[in-house]
Amino acid sequence: MHAWRVGRPGPMASGPLDWSRVAAPRPGAGELLVRVLVCGVCRTDLHVAEGDLPVHRAGVTPGHEVVGEVVAAGAGTDGFAVGDRAGIAWLRETCGTCRYCLRGRENLCPGSRYTGWDEDGGYAEFAVVPAAYALPLQSGYTDDELAPLLCAGLIGYHALERAAVPEGGRLGVYGFGGSAHLTAQVAIARGVTVHVMTRSEEARELALELGAATAVGATEPPPEPLDSAILFAPAGELVPPALEALDRGGTLAIAGIHLSDVPSLNYQRHLFQERQIRSVTANTRVEAREFLSFAGDHHLAVSTRPYSLDQADRALSDLAADRVNGAAVLRAT
């Protein structure tokens, strides 16, 4: 099969990805082999390719927003049959026995492993996934629309929970890409007022189309104090203005796996009056199923930009340069 591999992590301009002909994977016990139909392009893939995240597997195939068709199953699998559609997401494996797993917080498992980082992902024609971590897919969406739900949607849903928005509250969204445009819709469906801060004029227009109350520049203050905020942009310099925009008792959730350095904070301006910062680490399978059920009941408008699988390097370059409005997706060729 054809697959992309991260040969030399570095800036996209340096050509970190190799388009290769490799042996197709085979499913082991408890695993599914899927033919990749669509794979979403996530900013985490960019961090893997550019070396912002440490190398966990040399020559790894990125991609963890996979919509696939099951073509074979290893021994001891259940829940899926050949011909079924299955989703492959970021969280790939946990130990199931540590205190975090036993508390229902498997996203914090020290033994957790991730698709497209620890094991090969979906920038390929075929991929394998443990059946216990594959996700059933909702009807009513195209494959292009489903792919971003499998990480951009999932992590945004978890970030929204971490942001602890009160009922009828005011949420600030910093950055408005693949994850944010889905999360904003979930919040609006729950009766939350959403204010968007992002540098892209196109993204601001999309935010207003999707129901945001306001959309301004990334560092501009929202028109009213915020109960909660989510930072999607991997820009540490946005942490101080986001904290300053919070009302008393407000919460800032930082949704990315990577963030540039945060400038020094002033206690009185940024943290006093019980403002708080929370990080976001993956999601659990329970949350994944909750979100996908929500998406089935409340159809989300998914803005996508398609590329063919052999254009993955171009898609990541466009993402790095902020030329993607919504979510980029790779279609099987």
Side-chain angles (χ1 to χ4, degrees), residues 9-83:
M12 287 307 301
S14 70
L17 297 181
D18 296 322
W19 179 235
S20 306
R21 185 79 174 170
V22 300
R26 295 183 178 182
E31 292 183 334
L32 304 172
L33 174 66
V34 304
R35 180 170 63 89
V36 177
L37 304 175
V38 176
C39 183
V41 177
C42 179
R43 190 165 289 275
T44 300
D45 302 333
L46 182 62
H47 294 318
V48 170
E50 295 199 317
D52 296 323
L53 296 178
V55 175
H56 278 197
R57 177 173 179 165
V60 73
T61 294
H64 55 274
E65 296 179 328
V66 179
V67 175
E69 178 188 0
V70 177
V71 294
T77 58
D78 55 30
F80 292 89
V82 171

Side-chain angles (χ1 to χ4, degrees), residues 9-272:
M12 287 307 301
S14 70
L17 297 181
D18 296 322
W19 179 235
S20 306
R21 185 79 174 170
V22 300
R26 295 183 178 182
E31 292 183 334
L32 304 172
L33 174 66
V34 304
R35 180 170 63 89
V36 177
L37 304 175
V38 176
C39 183
V41 177
C42 179
R43 190 165 289 275
T44 300
D45 302 333
L46 182 62
H47 294 318
V48 170
E50 295 199 317
D52 296 323
L53 296 178
V55 175
H56 278 197
R57 177 173 179 165
V60 73
T61 294
H64 55 274
E65 296 179 328
V66 179
V67 175
E69 178 188 0
V70 177
V71 294
T77 58
D78 55 30
F80 292 89
V82 171
D84 287 348
R85 288 195 311 168
I88 303 177
W90 176 239
L91 186 66
R92 185 183 189 87
E93 182 182 341
T94 56
C95 73
T97 59
C98 70
R99 63 181 180 272
Y100 304 104
C101 288
L102 296 177
R103 290 173 186 166
R105 302 189 70 185
E106 65 180 3
N107 59 315
L108 299 180
C109 174
S112 57
R113 296 176 65 80
Y114 300 95
T115 305
W117 193 20
D118 295 293
E119 299 291 344
D120 289 334
Y123 285 24
E125 294 175 315
F126 294 91
V128 295
V129 60
Y133 290 81
L135 296 172
L137 298 175
Q138 300 294 319
S139 60
Y141 291 88
T142 66
D143 291 343
D144 281 12
E145 292 171 332
L146 281 169
L149 300 184
L150 294 171
C151 181
L154 297 186
I155 203 63
Y157 184 80
H158 183 52
L160 188 59
E161 297 300 304
R162 294 286 289 162
V165 190
E167 184 176 354
R170 301 154 297 177
L171 173 68
V173 173
Y174 288 80
F176 204 74
S179 187
H181 90 284
L182 298 172
T183 308
Q185 293 178 72
V186 176
I188 291 167
R190 291 177 171 179
V192 171
T193 298
V194 173
H195 299 288
V196 171
M197 280 63 68
T198 188
R199 63 185 181 181
S200 165
E201 183 176 349
E202 282 188 331
R204 293 195 292 270
E205 292 174 359
L206 177 61
L208 294 174
E209 289 173 10
L210 294 176
T214 64
V216 298
T219 59
E220 293 182 54
E224 59 181 341
L226 304 172
D227 297 304
S228 304
I230 304 174
L231 175 58
F232 287 100
E237 65 270 20
L238 294 180
V239 170
L243 286 170
E244 198 166 352
L246 292 177
D247 204 351
R248 299 181 179 210
T251 299
L252 169 63
I254 299 175
I257 193 172
H258 170 78
L259 187 71
S260 61
D261 289 345
V262 178
S264 61
L265 300 176
N266 178 281
Y267 180 69
Q268 295 293 330
R269 287 173 57 197
H270 302 127
L271 292 170
F272 191 52

